[in-house]
Amino acid sequence: MSLQRQPRLVTLEGGEGAGKSTVLAALRDALLASGCEVVCTREPGGTPLAEQIRGLLLDTRHEPPSPETELLLMFAARAQHVSETILPALRRGAWVLSDRFTDASYAYQGAARGGDVDFIAELERRVVGISPGLTLLLDVPVEIGLQRARGRGDADRIESEADEFFERVRTGYRTRAEAEPQRFRIIDASQPVEAVAAQAVAQLQAHRDALQVSG
């Protein structure tokens, strides 16, 4: 079973402190200004049940999940997210902007935790079934990203990982982007946030223009 590409599903990826929330807001405003319906969401999360799973994954007050448990919980939340939020929005013609999607599992549970990439791909096919039309990878050096993220306050369980963990995350993301250049656009997120947001909006517009030409 192959993944169904969803042109109006746009995902933002990147390590901690990459500025995804700010960029997502800029993309939302650009789409709203052109008269589109927009659904903004995030992973893990995006539905009440999936948000509860997010709490389990990120909470530092209980024992850490094993890598296998973490992976399966991520995909359990994602399955709910796709069926209850993403697909209904796409079917009614809305654009969906998601702060992280399946690529995050390849980067975090795969590259950083050493998980079985073939198993992740099998879960993606069987549980998710769709892929984004456009993925913006906000790439930032780990030192800069963590400085930003840890300046926000208490770190969650994943934000508390060692720097080497996030180096592997960054490598995992870049490997994904190199393997799928038709879907990924890499943006230097070490720039001022206004410049990052402007480049992201430009990439979204280019994606929309290409859809109009092809469709």
Side-chain angles (χ1 to χ4, degrees):
M1 181 174 63
S2 60
L3 299 174
Q4 293 186 330
R5 182 175 179 269
Q6 300 292 332
R8 283 179 280 101
L9 172 59
V10 177
T11 57
L12 299 179
E13 299 287 356
E16 309 307 310
K20 296 186 303 301
S21 298
T22 301
V23 170
L24 187 143
L27 297 177
R28 176 201 63 206
D29 291 349
L31 287 168
L32 289 173
S34 64
C36 299
E37 180 190 352
V38 186
V39 172
C40 295
T41 188
R42 69 175 182 175
E43 288 206 346
T47 79
L49 178 57
E51 289 290 337
Q52 291 186 52
I53 297 173
R54 178 188 181 92
L56 290 173
L57 283 163
L58 300 182
D59 197 339
T60 58
R61 294 174 297 180
H62 53 68
E63 84 277 13
S66 71
E68 295 81 7
T69 300
E70 181 180 274
L71 175 65
L72 292 172
L73 283 173
M74 287 288 186
F75 270 95
R78 186 167 294 129
Q80 190 73 5
H81 188 207
V82 169
S83 66
E84 298 299 319
T85 299
I86 295 177
L87 285 180
L90 293 174
R91 285 169 182 153
R92 66 175 183 263
W95 283 77
V96 177
L97 305 177
S98 185
D99 181 344
R100 299 197 193 284
F101 197 55
T102 313
D103 292 301
S105 285
Y106 285 95
Y108 282 80
Q109 286 77 52
R113 297 247 188 258
D116 184 341
V117 175
D118 290 338
F119 182 50
I120 295 173
E122 184 70 8
L123 287 171
E124 182 181 23
R125 286 191 296 271
R126 292 181 175 271
V127 174
V128 181
I130 61 173
S131 65
L134 174 67
T135 298
L136 301 176
L137 174 56
L138 306 185
D139 183 54
V140 64
V142 169
E143 181 180 358
I144 295 174
L146 290 180
Q147 186 176 31
R148 292 173 179 171
R150 291 167 180 168
R152 295 194 295 251
D154 293 338
D156 62 34
R157 186 179 62 82
I158 291 180
E159 289 173 343
S160 301
E161 293 282 355
D163 290 9
E164 292 77 12
F165 175 89
F166 295 107
E167 292 289 357
R168 295 194 295 273
V169 168
R170 188 185 187 197
T171 298
Y173 270 131
R174 293 183 69 90
T175 299
R176 294 283 294 167
E178 290 166 5
E180 294 190 57
Q182 74 283 2
R183 173 166 68 88
F184 275 88
R185 299 293 180 269
I186 301 177
I187 298 175
D188 177 5
S190 65
Q191 303 174 90
V193 64
E194 297 82 5
V196 176
Q199 290 180 30
V201 169
Q203 292 289 354
L204 174 61
Q205 187 57 53
H207 173 64
R208 294 182 68 199
D209 291 345
L211 291 179
Q212 292 173 356
V213 168
S214 63

